[in-house]
Amino acid sequence: MYKKALAIRPEYYEALNDLIHALQHTCAWDEWERRLKVLSGALSQELATGGQPLFVKPFHALVYPLNVQHMLLVAQSYAARATRLVRSFHPTPLPTVSALASKNRLRVGWVSSNIGDHSLSHLMKSVFSMHGKNIEGWVFALNGEHDPGDPAYRQQIKTALGTKFVDISRVSGVQGAHIVNRNKIHVLIDLVGYTGGGERANEVFASRPARLQTSYMGFCASTGAPYMQHMVVDRVVAPPEYRSHFSEHLMVVPNSYFVNDHRQQPAWQDVNSKQLARASYKELPAKGTLLACFNQLYKIDPPIFKVWVGILDKFPTAFLWLLKFPSVAVPQIRKEAEKQGLAEDRIRFGTTLPKKEYLERGALADLFLDTPLVNAHTSATDILWAGVPMITTGKESMISRVAASLCLAAGRSEMVAVNLAEYAAVVGQLLQGAGNGGPSPRLQRLKRLTRHSKEHSPLFDTRLWTEHLDVSIRLAWESQLEVDRRKKGQDKGRAPSGYHVIVRPRR
């Protein structure tokens, strides 16, 4: 369909963008690279003339190998569109509250389109009701009751919050903003950004229903939105030298900004102590070292695949273990491996599984190989919880630095390589001495250290993470009130637009 449209109109860049996204998901890399070069040129030309390039969607730009500043400009274009839309519905701002609720509590609202059996709820289910005594947590769900998957996740969140769980799935984004505003929310946190459900989420936030609005988790980059004052990050995903990548002021939390809820899930507690046999999964070899990557296949690009093939060439008893995620990309992966001279049986493909079994099966891996273009996020948290070490490296973009944040929070700096050359060298060192019997002594030691980190690092301490977030929210709120006071006072000409917030570790 996209190719037919482009044959008729070669400069139909919206169709070109969607085609490139489809090619990336199917791992058709030759055509993907060729067409991406055309799109990148059109994007650069549009930005150079001061245009707002709506033909590239922000999430697509995020996962393409684009200049980070171009990613930001694309996001700003979509934020400007959302602003124009909501102004047509209410040209005057909604009245927001500065006075605190009873017992001096801040009302913090979370807006999400993934309240249910989704990775976001897997990661955050307990957080919404884990705030300290000075914060009152609310959830505004953009999705309804009948999403696919296990309904228990949504029900548990609803039960924990009671009347503070509000379903806004049946109203427009602007109407949802009015509901948020009527509930006198002080701080509103966006868990969507420009991902699925983003158009309505953008309408909610562009309506400015709360005095302080913050971005977190859903969109792993700056929103570029003037209506978003802050973004939650850490020092790894947003180091000081990359401050220009963000339009928001930053709320810098200790350890990793990326929260998880694994320790609160009783069924997940003993996944790395399960004595599962490889024979339980027909795709796995009986012997050899298993190098796994459970990321969606669109995250693989030609440079990292070439590194993986080189590792497999050097270590004939090693196997690459991927997921059929999506299955339509599997033939392309096999074709590329054959082109590089790799035997077909050296790459094994598994299916997607329910979360508990997925974690148990993942514990059979010996080493997780990350993708630098777009890192493992939830997958990285899962694999570290399963006691499996990983190797990661990144680029400038935030989305390419999340796994490094997680590894460093786990106290495992040796899992983070500075570039692809070091990545390959570290994997080679870990595999040296491995045989058909299993992993090398060095890799066995790293696995023991990874299991130790699971129990003793702050990575899986959800309550500690929430305590740090509460502090950052309170500081951001106080700084916003200070900005408001200065804008109304004698020095309003010198009033800052806002402040960054940096939280020290509590323990």
Side-chain angles (χ1 to χ4, degrees):
M1 177 178 70
Y2 299 128
K3 291 181 181 180
K4 287 182 179 179
L6 290 167
I8 297 169
R9 183 179 154 202
E11 294 184 353
Y12 185 8
Y13 294 126
E14 291 86 349
L16 179 60
N17 172 73
D18 288 346
L19 173 59
I20 290 167
H21 191 61
L23 292 170
Q24 185 169 3
H25 275 260
T26 56
C27 298
W29 294 326
D30 289 343
E31 186 177 359
W32 174 71
E33 289 182 312
R34 187 174 71 253
R35 291 189 181 271
L36 183 61
K37 186 176 181 180
V38 175
L39 185 71
S40 297
L43 178 62
S44 297
Q45 185 175 2
E46 180 76 10
L47 293 172
T49 58
Q52 292 187 339
L54 297 175
F55 57 80
V56 178
K57 298 178 178 68
F59 181 74
H60 294 177
L62 189 63
V63 301
Y64 295 160
L66 297 179
N67 176 289
V68 178
Q69 288 301 323
H70 285 183
M71 294 180 186
L72 176 57
L73 291 169
V74 168
Q76 287 174 334
S77 299
Y78 273 75
R81 185 179 72 167
T83 299
R84 290 193 298 270
L85 175 66
V86 300
R87 280 180 180 167
S88 66
F89 289 99
H90 45 72
T92 57
L94 293 173
T96 58
V97 293
S98 296
L100 298 188
S102 61
K103 300 180 181 178
N104 199 37
R105 302 177 84 188
L106 275 174
R107 287 188 174 179
V108 175
W110 299 86
V111 176
S112 176
S113 57
N114 295 303
I115 301 299
D117 192 356
H118 182 276
S119 58
L120 185 133
S121 292
H122 299 170
L123 293 166
M124 296 197 67
K125 181 167 65 68
S126 297
V127 170
F128 305 128
S129 55
M130 200 179 272
H131 290 294
K133 62 182 181 179
N134 293 322
I135 289 183
E136 184 179 291
W138 290 62
V139 165
F140 297 90
L142 289 166
N143 61 313
E145 298 280 351
H146 303 297
D147 280 8
D150 186 350
Y153 290 97
R154 184 183 180 95
Q155 188 56 50
Q156 288 167 11
I157 294 169
K158 287 180 65 175
T159 300
L161 291 174
T163 58
K164 299 177 183 65
F165 181 96
V166 184
D167 187 330
I168 57 172
S169 64
R170 296 178 180 273
V171 300
S172 71
V174 171
Q175 290 171 322
H178 282 271
I179 294 171
V180 170
N181 186 257
R182 285 200 299 270
N183 282 288
K184 298 182 178 180
I185 300 299
H186 299 98
V187 181
L188 195 64
I189 303 177
D190 183 8
L191 296 173
V192 185
Y194 301 107
T195 59
E199 288 193 3
R200 282 200 301 138
N202 294 336
E203 288 178 25
V204 170
F205 283 87
S207 301
R208 302 187 190 226
R211 185 65 198 88
L212 183 64
Q213 301 189 160
T214 299
S215 176
Y216 176 65
M217 184 68 86
F219 186 70
C220 192
S222 175
T223 63
Y227 46 79
M228 205 69 77
Q229 292 99 325
H230 284 91
M231 182 169 183
V232 181
V233 298
D234 61 50
R235 293 175 183 270
V236 178
V237 297
E241 61 267 30
Y242 293 158
R243 172 67 191 90
S244 63
H245 297 175
F246 301 89
S247 63
E248 303 89 347
H249 289 90
L250 302 182
M251 294 165 63
V252 185
V253 296
N255 308 314
S256 179
Y257 89 104
F258 198 84
V259 72
N260 65 80
D261 202 33
H262 289 55
R263 199 170 295 287
Q264 282 65 242
Q265 308 305 317
W268 302 355
Q269 296 311 303
D270 58 351
V271 292
N272 62 14
S273 65
K274 294 282 187 183
Q275 298 301 313
L276 291 178
R278 291 188 183 186
S280 301
Y281 302 98
K282 60 182 181 180
E283 74 267 19
L284 297 182
K287 297 180 180 180
T289 304
L290 283 175
L291 307 177
C293 180
F294 300 144
N295 295 345
Q296 292 189 55
L297 296 178
Y298 80 84
K299 296 184 179 185
I300 304 172
D301 64 354
I304 192 60
F305 191 74
K306 184 177 180 180
V307 168
W308 291 350
V309 171
I311 291 168
L312 294 172
D313 279 341
K314 189 174 180 180
F315 297 95
T317 61
F319 294 84
L320 180 61
W321 183 14
L322 305 176
L323 294 183
K324 297 175 182 177
F325 197 14
S327 58
V328 69
V330 172
Q332 293 287 352
I333 295 280
R334 292 201 184 282
K335 181 180 176 181
E336 187 62 33
E338 182 183 6
K339 189 191 303 184
Q340 297 189 34
L342 190 69
E344 182 175 324
D345 71 340
R346 300 295 302 285
I347 303 181
R348 306 301 179 97
F349 288 91
T351 58
T352 56
L353 294 171
K355 188 74 168 189
K356 183 174 183 292
E357 188 179 352
Y358 164 75
L359 291 169
E360 291 172 351
R361 181 185 62 178
L364 293 171
D366 294 307
L367 181 65
F368 187 97
L369 302 181
D370 197 21
T371 46
L373 178 63
V374 180
N375 278 178
H377 296 183
T378 306
S379 298
T381 310
D382 290 339
I383 206 70
L384 293 172
W385 178 257
V388 178
M390 69 184 299
I391 300 298
T392 187
T393 190
K395 301 174 183 290
E396 286 191 16
S397 62
M398 180 178 176
I399 202 169
S400 74
R401 302 173 68 85
V402 174
S405 166
L406 295 168
C407 290
L408 293 173
R412 301 267 61 90
S413 60
E414 66 269 46
M415 296 182 185
V416 182
V418 296
N419 52 39
L420 273 182
E422 185 177 79
Y423 177 110
V426 171
V427 174
Q429 291 166 8
L430 290 170
L431 297 186
Q432 200 70 47
N436 277 327
S440 68
R442 182 176 290 187
L443 184 50
Q444 289 175 359
R445 179 177 181 274
L446 186 55
K447 292 181 81 169
R448 290 193 297 271
L449 291 172
T450 304
R451 289 193 292 269
H452 181 271
S453 295
K454 170 185 171 180
E455 302 300 331
H456 300 285
S457 74
L459 177 59
F460 294 104
D461 191 337
T462 314
R463 189 165 298 280
L464 177 63
W465 184 92
T466 308
E467 288 175 7
H468 286 143
L469 181 71
D470 285 357
V471 172
S472 71
I473 289 172
R474 177 66 67 163
L475 290 173
W477 176 256
E478 291 174 356
S479 71
Q480 186 60 51
L481 295 183
E482 174 62 18
V483 169
D484 293 346
R485 282 192 291 269
R486 292 185 65 174
K487 285 181 178 179
K488 294 176 181 177
Q490 296 286 335
D491 57 351
K492 61 182 178 181
R494 299 192 302 275
S497 59
Y499 297 93
H500 299 299
V501 170
I502 301 174
V503 179
R504 293 181 178 179
R506 301 199 61 165
R507 60 178 184 268

